[in-house]
Amino acid sequence: MSPAAIERPMLESACSKSSDESRRSFANLRGVQWRTDLGILPPLSSSTIDDLRKVTADSRRRYACLRRHLLVDPHLPKDGSNSPNLAIDNPLSQNPDSTWGRFFRNAELEKTVDQDLSRLYPEHGNYFQSTGCQGMLRRILLLWCLRHPEYGYRQGMHELLAPLLYVLHVDVERLSEVRKEYEDHFTDKFDGLSFQENDLRYNFDFKKYLDSMEDEIGSHGNATKVRSLDELDPEIQTIVLLSDAYGAEGELGIVLSEKFMEHDAYCMFDALMNGAHGAVAMADFFSPSPVGGSHSGLPPVIEASAALYHLLSVVDSSLHSHLVELGVEPQYFALRWLRVLFGREFSLENLLLIWDEIFAADKNKLEKGAGDDTGSTFGIFSSPQGALISAFAVSMILYLRSSLLSTENATICLQRLLKFPENIDLRKLIGKAKSLQALALGPSISSSSPRCGGAYNHSKSMVVRSHTLPSDSISPKTPLNMVPDSYWEEKWRVLHKAAEQRNGSSGKQNPTPKKGWTEKVRLSLSRTASDPSPAKAGCGNDHKPSVRRRLLEDLSQELGLDEDTEKAGCDEVSGQKDHICKVVEVENQDGVNNDFTCVAEERCLSGIAGSEENSSLFSDPSSPLSGANNHENDSEKSSVASNSSIDETDDHPEANHEDTTLPVSHLPNNATLNSGDNNEATGKSLAVPKERKLLSGKFQWFWKFGRSNDGEETSEKGNGALDVTKSANDAGSQSSTVCSSVDGSCYSSTTGDLVDQNMMGSLRNLGHSMLEHIQVIESVFQQDRVQVGSSDNFSKNVLVGKGQVTAMTALKELRKISNLLSEM
Amino acid sequence: MVLVLAIGDLHIPHRAADLPPKFKSMLVPGKIQHIICTGNLCIKEVHDYLKSLCPDLHITRGEYDEDSRYPETKTLTIGQFKLGICHGHQVIPWGDLDSLAMLQRQLDVDILIAGHTHQFKAYKHEGGVVINPGSATGAYSSFTYDVNPSFVLMDIDGLRVVVYVYELIDGEVKVDKIDFKKTATTRS
């Protein structure tokens, strides 16, 4: 009886709050009231008791039918067949149609449901954890999920169902109380005449208390009525009327019935989830995919969370911006709030009051104004009920305003939001919610709302700039329609956009820091180039790896200047280069022929060149480059490299353009293929490619981009030519990857702003790369002039040949770029 | 609704390499609550495989089993039924109903599961039920080479047991079903 005892004062207060008398005729019978609100029962004002009973009976019949149909007992033979086909219907059958198969699937579902049910409302465990209640909840949930396989069972559905069942239970308890008090009205009057004859006391009572209710229902034609029904309280009247076993539809029509609690709870749950008659459909909040008709391609619960924040921004923009700056996305807390309709935030008694208000709200979708062609992008605002729900959530956030504003830590904010305080003045909250509801429904909301996606990118770009939550800035910030992409693709896109911004902002700055260490490069390279003979191998080789290492370290520092999010990438990038350095060094240290190693390095670089070209082939598969590769190397050993790079060329066109890790991994491969004697080196570098394959394309893109920027300044000497070669190809591939990424990002970006940014960035990059190519060609011609008269080291001849060819390749790259530009 | 698998005489690896693939595909973990094995597995790997199907495994010793720690006979209670397990080579003549009934009375069980003959049999007599699941791999027996792979699945539900017999005949799985009801009061 305790739940009913708690209920009473609450109910009375609810009564006093009510304004609409006709709707509150069932004020003390929440079960009936809610059923009316949810649309299961017709409102009392427009129908008679009999109608109510008929509707109730129908809905119960439907449920019973459903239950019989769906709850499978494999022992019972299927309808009509006495000898079922045993090959299908045996317990071990793999056939999905067999009854046993369905039985086992139901058992699986039940297990999932039970996991949640066992943890339901432990503080009210004496009711909710009782086996009867648990059994009912389990069956209801099971049947609903079987009926709606597209939603399946999601955690949270049990929390929506539990209060509904509780409310019905309370009603039944109230009924039994009333029964005790007003026994007379409930007693059977079959033996009315005999009572009158036998029991004087009863006779006396009968004469005193006229029971006109009997006449209305017309079950008995008893002459003496002891008490008119009007003398009873209206609520008692209704209770009596609704629970009479002889009314319309007999027992099935008893609106407040313990026997049919399960049926009624199922109907309520179904109506709540389906959003009958225009109400907010809770089931949408459980679906992961966008509902048809939503303006943004977001799942409804995310959209609703964004709607919350939008309303908050209108009401209290400082709090809103504070939360957004901290990176507290609405769905972190709003998901739970919305999915369970605040079930986890309040105690059960308060929750019932809140749900009273929510269910009582007008469900009809508002007509959109004529001039409102953009329309509210938030579906939740389209009905007063939805507006009330979001307004209530906003009032909850406002309630916590001071504690939220006082902290700069996002985690603490979230903690405060997720642990709503216990002792609250619910009336104030509800009152505030109602005022906000009016605001939410007003025209100002829709006209001032940015597009959903815009709000998203807004917050995303803000976080990217502010660096407050580096760990969070990647995954939740991307719009959710990109979630299906693989993790690495997503990272690449984010970093790419960041890089675009960086390009735009600091394009001028790039050359100057690079000049600092490219000077170093020039110095060291000039030293090595001046000793073309074996001495080069001696000290040059020592220098080269050290130079390269310095280059790479500087590059990694460069990249480290970028945003925090790329730190991990930079470490990997620099680590990758270290590995390559080590590979080269290993070769050197093995004491192979000096010329051989120096050629190996060159081939390594030519391999790089080859592979860079290969990567550009991804987006523009054409054969001229492979032809260029063929011409490149005259000597035998270098032809090995070119063959290997051509082989890779053949493999590459199939590869995804995003997966540009392969060329990176081929670098060490090339280097070691040529020095076949060095098994150890081979072993090491084979280990290296495996690591490389794990890197995403974006790392490589950055690496190339960095190197291209490096190489762009260096010129003049032989090794400089190699660098320039690299840069030419780097730039070419970079531009093509940029273009392809532009295409990719065009699909994904939802606002025009970002697209424009990307376009501008990519155009700028194209301009850069064109300049680079022109410089390459110029420098190559200069080198040709310089080196024609120099020593006869065969490597130098190779270089000269390469120089010419690189000029050709650069020209081809320029042609490609111009084609791309013309297409854009 | 308790599903009990009765299986035995696999003779892996001596006389057969493995269960027939059609049987293997049917035996998935999660559906069966108990496994009763008459014996002659013979090696630990088969024991582990059966254990993976269901953790509740009851097994008696056959004459070729390599693990000597299995008992000769075993009894257990599932639902309202008492089940007894024995390999069957101890009961002479092999496969004789009267001798098996004697063993059943000795163990005081409603259902006796014995094997060794590699032939599926299911007898009902007033004392109870005797089930021989046959050989699940179709391994040759001491007296015949012509053996069909077979095993038995019992569905114990209250006072009623439904016995599903799965036999592999000519490469097809044939299923048969036999109903047994326990007379409630006579045997306590």
Side-chain angles (χ1 to χ4, degrees):
Chain A
M1 286 312 246
S2 52
I6 303 171
E7 278 303 312
R8 280 266 183 90
M10 222 86 35
L11 289 172
E12 276 151 17
S13 64
C15 241
S16 58
K17 271 193 295 182
S18 67
S19 51
D20 191 356
E21 276 309 315
S22 60
R23 302 184 85 200
R24 288 287 158 190
S25 58
F26 292 126
N28 286 352
L29 296 175
R30 266 220 181 87
V32 184
Q33 180 63 47
W34 282 11
R35 272 184 278 174
T36 315
D37 287 335
L38 287 169
I40 303 170
L41 293 179
L44 187 61
S45 53
S46 61
S47 60
T48 65
I49 293 277
D50 278 0
D51 288 338
L52 286 182
R53 295 176 68 112
K54 285 209 181 77
V55 170
T56 314
D58 280 337
S59 63
R60 286 169 181 172
R61 277 194 202 103
R62 275 200 302 271
Y63 176 70
C65 195
L66 186 68
R67 199 164 116 173
R68 275 188 208 138
H69 182 64
L70 284 181
L71 278 186
V72 178
D73 183 3
H75 294 290
L76 299 176
K78 273 203 211 156
D79 323 300
S81 67
N82 256 335
S83 52
N85 184 357
L86 273 176
I88 298 177
D89 264 337
N90 62 77
L92 295 179
S93 157
Q94 310 287 48
N95 192 328
D97 288 335
S98 71
T99 49
W100 282 96
R102 277 186 21 219
F103 172 77
F104 282 120
R105 276 198 298 278
N106 290 356
E108 281 292 324
L109 195 53
E110 260 185 53
K111 236 193 282 185
T112 323
V113 170
D114 271 340
Q115 272 176 355
D116 283 337
L117 283 182
S118 59
R119 294 175 288 178
L120 176 67
Y121 277 122
E123 64 270 18
H124 297 282
N126 54 352
Y127 176 64
F128 286 109
Q129 296 294 327
S130 64
T131 40
C133 177
Q134 291 257 305
M136 278 198 278
L137 292 171
R138 190 181 304 125
R139 273 193 300 274
I140 295 172
L141 287 169
L142 187 67
L143 287 174
W144 194 89
C145 295
L146 288 175
R147 201 63 175 23
H148 297 85
E150 66 272 13
Y151 292 111
Y153 174 73
R154 296 265 174 276
Q155 192 181 38
M157 291 183 181
H158 70 297
E159 302 233 2
L160 276 179
L161 175 60
L164 300 176
L165 195 61
Y166 180 72
V167 150
L168 287 170
H169 172 78
V170 162
D171 274 1
V172 166
E173 296 221 325
R174 178 104 178 87
L175 172 65
S176 56
E177 272 180 21
V178 170
R179 240 182 228 266
K180 280 210 183 93
E181 279 185 45
Y182 299 94
E183 273 176 49
D184 321 320
H185 298 282
F186 289 97
T187 53
D188 273 346
K189 300 298 192 290
F190 276 135
D191 307 332
L193 288 172
S194 61
F195 275 154
Q196 275 183 322
E197 285 164 3
N198 299 338
D199 195 343
L200 282 176
R201 206 174 118 253
Y202 250 114
N203 202 358
F204 174 74
D205 282 345
F206 263 134
K207 286 208 163 64
K208 258 198 175 177
Y209 301 110
L210 189 67
D211 195 352
S212 62
M213 162 192 73
E214 299 288 326
D215 281 343
E216 279 180 5
I217 296 178
S219 51
H220 314 286
N222 242 344
T224 53
K225 300 293 168 207
V226 289
R227 177 176 168 164
S228 87
L229 199 59
D230 301 330
E231 288 178 44
L232 298 172
D233 291 335
E235 47 151 317
I236 310 290
Q237 268 184 42
T238 51
I239 290 180
V240 169
L241 287 173
L242 291 173
S243 62
D244 181 38
Y246 296 99
E249 302 277 3
E251 238 185 62
L252 201 59
I254 301 178
V255 181
L256 296 172
S257 159
E258 184 159 6
K259 229 162 90 164
F260 300 109
M261 252 164 62
E262 195 178 326
H263 305 59
D264 295 335
Y266 178 84
C267 293
M268 290 170 79
F269 184 64
D270 201 22
L272 181 60
M273 293 294 271
N274 292 340
H277 309 286
V280 172
M282 294 304 300
D284 284 344
F285 287 154
F286 288 97
S287 83
S289 55
V291 173
S294 85
H295 290 255
S296 61
L298 299 170
V301 66
I302 309 291
E303 196 185 318
S305 317
L308 280 191
Y309 256 28
H310 177 64
L311 184 56
L312 180 64
S313 66
V314 170
V315 173
D316 186 348
S317 57
S318 57
L319 180 60
H320 173 256
S321 48
H322 173 78
L323 285 173
V324 165
E325 264 173 33
L326 287 189
V328 178
E329 290 242 337
Q331 59 263 24
Y332 294 159
F333 54 90
L335 191 93
R336 193 171 80 176
W337 288 6
L338 291 172
R339 273 196 177 172
V340 194
L341 266 190
F342 312 108
R344 292 251 103 213
E345 319 304 320
F346 298 99
S347 64
L348 186 57
E349 295 81 21
N350 286 344
L351 183 69
L352 295 178
L353 290 172
I354 298 172
W355 281 21
D356 274 340
E357 294 299 323
I358 292 180
F359 290 158
D362 183 14
K363 291 187 277 291
N364 305 313
K365 284 209 167 16
L366 298 175
E367 294 300 320
K368 290 279 168 266
D372 195 4
D373 46 7
T374 56
S376 167
T377 54
F378 301 118
I380 199 172
F381 288 151
S382 63
S383 76
Q385 192 182 49
L388 181 62
I389 294 176
S390 35
F392 191 79
V394 171
S395 72
M396 282 168 74
I397 303 177
L398 289 175
Y399 188 85
L400 296 172
R401 182 173 203 274
S402 49
S403 63
L404 289 177
L405 281 176
S406 67
T407 173
E408 282 300 315
N409 185 334
T411 325
I412 296 182
C413 261
L414 265 178
Q415 269 175 2
R416 297 212 175 119
L417 280 165
L418 286 172
K419 273 193 73 168
F420 208 71
E422 290 280 317
N423 307 320
I424 51 168
D425 188 354
L426 195 63
R427 249 180 279 199
K428 258 203 213 162
L429 267 182
I430 294 181
K432 180 96 181 138
K434 286 202 167 144
S435 62
L436 289 177
Q437 174 193 22
L439 179 63
L441 289 173
S444 59
I445 276 283
S446 36
S447 58
S448 65
S449 71
R451 294 186 55 191
C452 237
Y456 248 113
N457 291 323
H458 226 13
S459 52
K460 174 177 30 161
S461 54
M462 277 173 75
V463 172
V464 165
R465 264 179 250 132
S466 63
H467 304 285
T468 47
L469 284 180
S471 57
D472 288 359
S473 59
I474 293 183
S475 35
K477 290 301 169 284
T478 53
L480 270 144
N481 54 0
M482 283 166 69
V483 162
D485 282 359
S486 80
Y487 173 63
W488 292 110
E489 292 184 34
E490 185 187 282
K491 276 200 157 199
W492 186 89
R493 280 213 189 91
V494 170
L495 280 174
H496 171 66
K497 284 188 187 124
E500 293 295 344
Q501 291 172 357
R502 189 164 62 89
N503 281 343
S505 58
S506 63
K508 297 258 164 75
Q509 293 168 16
N510 273 343
T512 39
K514 305 260 183 343
K515 276 201 177 104
W517 51 271
T518 52
E519 304 247 327
K520 283 188 237 164
V521 169
R522 239 177 265 151
L523 287 174
S524 49
L525 289 178
S526 62
R527 234 187 302 154
T528 58
S530 61
D531 301 330
S533 57
K536 174 188 182 185
C539 61
N541 288 339
D542 293 328
H543 282 294
K544 269 208 193 141
S546 58
V547 160
R548 206 166 290 132
R549 175 157 278 177
R550 241 181 296 150
L551 279 178
L552 297 172
E553 280 168 13
D554 290 335
L555 179 60
S556 64
Q557 277 168 24
E558 270 292 324
L559 290 178
L561 285 178
D562 296 342
E563 298 163 58
D564 303 345
T565 60
E566 296 148 20
K567 263 189 197 139
C570 299
D571 293 338
E572 286 197 60
V573 171
S574 53
Q576 160 196 355
K577 290 173 199 131
D578 288 339
H579 280 286
I580 295 171
C581 269
K582 280 177 204 149
V583 166
V584 175
E585 275 179 344
V586 160
E587 293 171 359
N588 296 339
Q589 287 156 19
D590 280 347
V592 190
N593 185 1
N594 289 337
D595 283 350
F596 186 69
T597 53
C598 126
V599 170
E601 282 167 11
E602 288 159 5
R603 209 161 297 119
C604 175
L605 296 171
S606 73
I608 295 169
S611 57
E612 307 295 40
E613 291 170 345
N614 291 341
S615 67
S616 64
L617 279 175
F618 293 156
S619 42
D620 196 359
S622 57
S623 53
L625 282 180
S626 48
N629 277 341
N630 277 329
H631 296 307
E632 238 179 20
N633 304 306
D634 300 349
S635 64
E636 261 181 45
K637 293 175 190 172
S638 33
S639 67
V640 173
S642 64
N643 286 337
S644 62
S645 55
I646 289 168
D647 292 340
E648 285 132 29
T649 313
D650 294 336
D651 296 337
H652 286 331
E654 288 96 67
N656 190 358
H657 79 274
E658 297 271 322
D659 185 17
T660 50
T661 60
L662 289 175
V664 176
S665 61
H666 285 296
L667 291 167
N669 270 340
N670 283 337
T672 54
L673 275 173
N674 303 320
S675 54
D677 305 335
N678 299 337
N679 295 328
E680 300 158 23
T682 317
K684 275 187 199 157
S685 57
L686 278 178
V688 167
K690 278 176 202 146
E691 290 173 43
R692 296 304 144 251
K693 280 186 177 112
L694 295 175
L695 286 179
S696 72
K698 71 161 162 41
F699 293 138
Q700 197 220 342
W701 182 82
F702 260 104
W703 183 60
K704 283 188 290 185
F705 179 79
R707 295 190 81 160
S708 69
N709 278 337
D710 314 338
E712 124 189 36
E713 312 305 322
T714 63
S715 57
E716 295 167 17
K717 300 299 174 105
N719 296 317
L722 288 172
D723 287 332
V724 167
T725 312
K726 269 185 304 183
S727 76
N729 297 323
D730 283 338
S733 56
Q734 168 207 332
S735 65
S736 43
T737 53
V738 160
C739 290
S740 55
S741 68
V742 165
D743 293 338
S745 58
C746 278
Y747 290 125
S748 60
S749 65
T750 54
T751 58
D753 301 334
L754 264 185
V755 173
D756 288 341
Q757 269 185 21
N758 287 333
M759 296 293 285
M760 294 302 296
S762 61
L763 284 173
R764 255 179 247 126
N765 278 341
L766 285 175
H768 280 310
S769 52
M770 286 179 76
L771 273 175
E772 285 160 12
H773 287 309
I774 296 170
Q775 284 172 359
V776 162
I777 296 172
E778 287 173 0
S779 61
V780 165
F781 284 131
Q782 282 173 7
Q783 287 152 37
D784 278 343
R785 266 179 258 131
V786 166
Q787 282 166 11
V788 155
S790 71
S791 68
D792 356 328
N793 194 343
F794 80 100
S795 58
K796 279 298 168 203
N797 292 336
V798 167
L799 281 176
V800 168
K802 273 194 206 160
Q804 287 173 346
V805 174
T806 53
M808 283 172 58
T809 58
L811 279 170
K812 282 183 187 124
E813 289 291 327
L814 271 177
R815 239 178 256 139
K816 264 197 286 175
I817 291 168
S818 62
N819 288 339
L820 282 165
L821 274 175
S822 60
E823 280 165 14
M824 286 181 358
Chain B
M1 265 298 305
V2 181
L3 290 178
V4 182
L5 177 72
I7 195 171
D9 287 319
L10 291 97
H11 286 279
I12 296 170
H14 306 128
R15 302 188 193 174
D18 200 1
L19 283 168
K22 292 206 173 170
F23 279 1
K24 255 201 149 147
S25 69
M26 287 204 295
L27 293 174
V28 293
K31 289 188 182 175
I32 300 167
Q33 272 89 37
H34 305 274
I35 298 188
I36 291 176
C37 189
T38 53
N40 272 346
L41 288 181
C42 307
I43 48 178
K44 184 175 178 304
E45 279 77 359
V46 185
H47 176 100
D48 292 338
Y49 165 71
L50 289 178
K51 205 94 192 196
S52 76
L53 289 183
C54 162
D56 193 25
L57 173 62
H58 304 275
I59 184 168
T60 51
R61 181 136 197 259
E63 74 268 41
Y64 290 103
D65 268 318
E66 304 207 345
D67 190 344
S68 57
R69 291 169 302 169
Y70 300 140
E72 293 282 322
T73 62
K74 201 166 188 187
T75 56
L76 61 147
T77 307
I78 296 176
Q80 305 277 2
F81 285 91
K82 281 190 283 198
L83 291 93
I85 319 169
C86 177
H87 176 244
H89 68 275
Q90 308 96 330
V91 178
I92 303 166
W94 293 337
D96 180 48
L97 173 60
D98 292 325
S99 314
L100 287 171
M102 206 158 64
L103 177 64
Q104 189 173 12
R105 282 191 292 275
Q106 248 179 330
L107 295 175
D108 189 26
V109 289
D110 301 313
I111 304 176
L112 177 68
I113 301 167
H116 185 61
T117 59
H118 297 208
Q119 298 275 347
F120 163 71
K121 287 282 191 310
Y123 301 115
K124 181 171 169 49
H125 56 97
E126 359 32 82
V129 177
V130 176
I131 296 178
N132 185 331
S135 162
T137 52
Y140 58 87
S141 75
S142 313
F143 40 85
T144 175
Y145 272 100
D146 182 20
V147 175
N148 280 326
S150 66
F151 67 88
V152 158
L153 183 74
M154 291 184 286
D155 179 11
I156 298 180
D157 194 17
L159 286 175
R160 178 171 159 241
V161 60
V162 180
V163 176
Y164 293 91
V165 182
Y166 294 82
E167 275 183 286
L168 193 69
I169 301 174
D170 296 330
E172 283 301 314
V173 177
K174 298 269 188 317
V175 187
D176 206 359
K177 184 168 122 171
I178 307 168
D179 254 310
F180 292 115
K181 258 206 181 59
K182 175 176 171 178
T183 50
T185 53
T186 53
R187 302 179 53 79
S188 60

